[in-house]
Structure formats: structure tokens, C-alpha cells
Amino acid sequence: MNGQRYKDRMLEIIIKISTMITLGISVGILFYILINGLGALSWEFLTSYPNEVEHALFPMIVTTVYMVLLSLFISTPIGVFAAIYLVEYAKPGKIVKLIRFATESLAGIPSIIYGLFGMIFFSSVFGLSFSLVSGAITLSIMVLPTVIRTTEEALLAVPIGYREGSLALGASKLRTIVKVVIPSAMLGILTAVILNIGRIVGETAAVYLTAGMVPEIPQTIFQSGRTLSVHMYLLAGELIDFDKAYATATVLVVIILMINIVANRIGKLLSKSRKNLS
């Protein structure tokens, strides 16, 4: 008995140490970026064009927002519908196992591979050239595994009694999915969207090879643009302005934090509204 308590205590200590190390690294990186980046930030740097203020960010901020919205518009419905099919309609078997294996394999492929695929297939073969739409389609393929797997987990977490109760009251399967299952899994689906936003905002290689790096606001989705992550890469690697690179990284971090706060707030409101309805 004492031996089991000793093992439990040791496991608890290891878990706490691992948590503290993870938290410490995350907080350390965050403070390091903020300390080095805040000094170079200014209102003019954020709201001007590069031809007005050197390496200014305004076109890159707008392009990043465009890229996130377009990528989510493509990837979210496809990923959610695929997850609904796998959980609610597909019968367990070799095909489902093959789909899940392919999905998990896609999640482990380096982003540069997606970028090369997008550049050859969408930019060259489809003639989309370096454009927002070429980059957004490539990013959508890249984040699909996360959407599918996270949504699947959220759908599987919905108690089977919810489905049985709805069907017992005479609702069709489609109506049960739309009115009962999806609202119950909405927090998980929202989590998938948050994860994807973070990856899209921070992605560099795939965007660099498909959307290009023109430092202007694209007028259509068929024009090239430069996102914040690509701008930061250029500043640190080619233009050699580390102060502005840290400032760009600070803006990226702040945008991701704001998105997470807003998404969490929306999730809490959805959860609260469901509790009130029930």
C-alpha cells in the first residue's frame, strides 16, 4: 500500500514539474518577444504603408486577416462535415480506418511540403499564380486534419442518450444532428477553429510559396499579398531589421491572444445559453 502511495506521489510530482516547465517556457517566450518588440511599436508603424514608414505593417495586418477568413471559410465546413460523416453516418470498417489513418498522417507532414504542393498544383497547374486563394486553399488542406479530429472528438463526447432521446421523440436523424448533436459539440468545434486560426496566422513556409510576399493590400483574392509571419521572416532573414521583426512578432502574439479571448468568450456565452435553454 505504501509502495502504491509512493508511486502516486512521485507521479504527481512529475506531472507538476512538467506543468511548471511548460508554463515557464511559454511565459518566458512571451515576455522575451514583448520586451524586445514593444520598444519598436508605434501607431505609425501599425497604420502606415511600407513606402510611408519603413517596414510598416498595415498591409500585412489586413492581408493576414483576409488569409485567416478565407482559409476558415474553406476548411471549417469541409472539416466539420467530414467529421459528422465519420461519426454519425460511416459504418466502422476498413474505409473509415483508412480515412482516419490518412488524416493523422496528413497532420504530421511538414508545412513546407504543403507549400511545395500548393505552389506546383494550385499556383502552376491551376494557374492561380501567387495569390490569396492559392495560399488559402493550401492552408485549408494543411489544417483539415485538426478540424476533422477535433470535431470528431467533440461529436463523440456528446452522450448517446441525447441522440436516443431526440429520435424517440420522432425527430429524424438529420434534425437530431442539426438541433441536438452539433449544438452540444459547439465548444469542441470552436476549439478546432481557434487552433486553426493560430496555425494560419503563424504559418510562413506554405504562405511564402503560394501567396507570395507583395507588401500591398490585395484588391481581390487572386492577387498576391504578404502576411505578418512572412513579413517577420523577411525582416529577420533578408532585410535584417530585428527590432521590426520583434515588433511584428509582438503584433502576431497580441492578435492570437485577442482571438483566443474572443473565442473563449463566445464559447462561454454559447455554454451559458444552452444551460438556460435546458
Side-chain angles (χ1 to χ4, degrees):
M1 189 64 181
N2 290 334
Q4 185 61 42
R5 286 182 178 175
Y6 176 76
K7 290 180 181 178
D8 291 344
R9 182 60 180 164
M10 287 300 297
L11 181 61
E12 183 181 346
I13 292 173
I14 292 172
I15 291 173
K16 286 182 177 177
I17 292 174
S18 301
T19 304
M20 293 302 295
I21 291 173
T22 305
L23 184 63
I25 292 173
S26 302
V27 173
I29 292 174
L30 182 63
F31 272 97
Y32 181 77
I33 292 172
L34 293 177
I35 290 171
N36 287 281
L38 288 175
L41 277 180
S42 66
W43 182 250
E44 289 74 20
F45 181 63
L46 294 173
T47 58
S48 301
Y49 287 80
N51 58 354
E52 299 169 343
V53 175
E54 191 176 22
H55 307 316
L57 291 183
F58 184 66
M60 279 57 85
I61 293 174
V62 176
T63 303
T64 302
V65 173
Y66 284 169
M67 185 65 76
V68 169
L69 294 177
L70 192 56
S71 300
L72 291 180
F73 179 76
I74 297 170
S75 64
T76 302
I78 295 175
V80 171
F81 288 147
I84 291 173
Y85 169 76
L86 290 172
V87 174
E88 303 293 339
Y89 290 100
K91 295 180 180 177
K94 291 183 179 179
I95 295 178
V96 172
K97 287 183 180 177
L98 180 64
I99 294 173
R100 289 196 170 121
F101 175 76
T103 304
E104 290 167 359
S105 299
L106 284 173
I109 295 176
S111 60
I112 187 71
I113 304 296
Y114 286 103
L116 288 171
F117 171 78
M119 183 179 68
I120 295 170
F121 199 69
F122 300 121
S123 300
S124 299
V125 176
F126 277 7
L128 296 175
S129 189
F130 291 109
S131 62
L132 278 185
V133 67
S134 180
I137 295 173
T138 304
L139 289 176
S140 298
I141 296 173
M142 194 177 72
V143 301
L144 263 181
T146 305
V147 184
I148 294 173
R149 292 300 298 163
T150 310
T151 306
E152 261 194 280
E153 295 298 327
L155 294 174
L156 290 170
V158 177
I160 193 68
Y162 286 17
R163 296 173 176 84
E164 292 176 346
S166 177
L167 294 172
L169 291 172
S172 64
K173 185 165 185 175
L174 178 60
R175 187 173 179 81
T176 298
I177 293 171
V178 173
K179 295 292 184 180
V180 178
V181 177
I182 292 179
S184 300
M186 189 55 71
L187 285 177
I189 297 172
L190 196 60
T191 301
V193 174
I194 295 170
L195 292 173
N196 286 340
I197 290 174
R199 188 166 185 192
I200 292 167
V201 170
E203 180 53 41
T204 303
V207 179
Y208 182 85
L209 293 172
T210 54
M213 50 184 175
V214 177
E216 296 177 0
I217 298 175
Q219 300 303 309
T220 72
I221 60 175
F222 299 102
Q223 291 183 350
S224 176
R226 183 191 299 180
T227 62
L228 284 168
S229 57
V230 173
H231 188 62
M232 184 178 65
Y233 165 75
L234 293 173
L235 287 174
E238 297 182 12
L239 301 176
I240 313 297
D241 190 338
F242 286 107
D243 290 338
K244 297 295 175 59
Y246 278 120
T248 307
T250 302
V251 174
L252 271 170
V253 169
V254 170
I255 288 175
I256 292 174
L257 288 176
M258 289 175 63
I259 290 171
N260 277 277
I261 291 171
V262 171
N264 284 328
R265 182 61 182 163
I266 293 173
K268 288 180 180 178
L269 290 175
L270 288 173
S271 179
K272 187 177 179 180
S273 64
R274 280 195 60 78
K275 287 180 180 177
N276 292 334
L277 288 174
S278 61

